[in-house]
């Protein structure tokens, strides 16, 4: 939907897709990455996630890291280089032809199918 826009882009950042729990030296979950409720991240955990997100935004489409190794090493931050001083998008990554032709695209699911499925789900659920 946004691939033809020159002034806007949507890019999925998969840095958390295959992430494992960080472990301490004993092989147990490292609780320093989590808040007291053991569900939310601590300041250290949020810093790690922020670094992973930043790195993902610097990586070209098709080469994005899908995991976070929780090393808490600020030297692993990726910086823009003079040849590519911008965030990576589909158009500037060279992943697809920059002259996209999406005029003849058809949605994969018709809008009415979603409505029918929702109504059918409600009816089946109420029975």
């Amino acid at each position: 939907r946004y691939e033809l826009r020159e002034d806007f882009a949507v890019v999925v950042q998969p840095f958390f897709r295959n992430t494992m729990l960080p472990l301490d030296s004993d092989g147990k979950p490292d609780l320093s990455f989590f808040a007291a409720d053991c569900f939310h991240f601590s300041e250290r955990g949020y810093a790690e996630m922020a670094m992973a997100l930043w790195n993902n935004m610097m990586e070209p489409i098709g080469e994005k890291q899908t995991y976070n190794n929780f090393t808490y090493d600020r030297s692993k931050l990726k910086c823009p280089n003079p040849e590519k001083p911008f965030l990576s998008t589909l158009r500037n990554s060279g992943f697809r032809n920059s002259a996209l032709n999406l005029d003849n695209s058809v949605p994969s699911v018709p809008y009415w199918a979603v409505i029918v499925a929702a109504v059918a789900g409600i009816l089946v659920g109420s029975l």
Side-chain angles (χ1 to χ4, degrees):
R1 163 175 170 177
Y2 299 108
E3 289 181 1
L4 294 176
R5 302 263 321 243
E6 292 287 332
D7 62 339
F8 188 77
V10 174
V11 179
V12 174
Q13 306 297 341
F15 69 96
F16 201 60
R17 185 177 296 157
N18 297 317
T19 297
M20 303 296 275
L21 279 175
L23 303 176
D24 61 13
S25 59
D26 298 330
K28 296 179 181 176
D30 187 348
L31 298 179
S32 68
F33 285 100
F34 299 97
D37 63 5
C38 293
F39 179 75
H40 294 94
F41 288 116
S42 64
E43 183 177 334
R44 182 179 183 192
Y46 278 119
E48 187 66 31
M49 291 293 104
M51 286 188 282
L53 176 60
W54 174 260
N55 286 343
N56 237 202
M57 291 190 300
M58 293 292 117
E59 296 165 341
I61 304 285
E63 299 176 24
K64 293 190 179 288
Q65 186 171 321
T66 61
Y67 62 90
N68 188 358
N69 58 11
F70 288 99
T71 59
Y72 199 63
D73 179 12
R74 291 181 190 253
S75 66
K76 71 179 181 180
L77 278 171
K78 296 180 180 178
C79 296
N81 61 41
E83 293 83 38
K84 284 183 73 176
F86 39 75
L87 302 178
S88 295
T89 64
L90 184 64
R91 185 169 293 214
N92 68 27
S93 291
F95 188 71
R96 287 190 188 164
N97 186 359
S98 61
L100 297 170
N101 183 7
L102 299 175
D103 294 333
N104 298 328
S105 65
V106 178
S108 59
V109 176
Y111 74 92
W112 57 265
V114 175
I115 296 169
V116 170
V119 171
I122 291 171
L123 289 174
V124 169
S126 64
L127 291 176

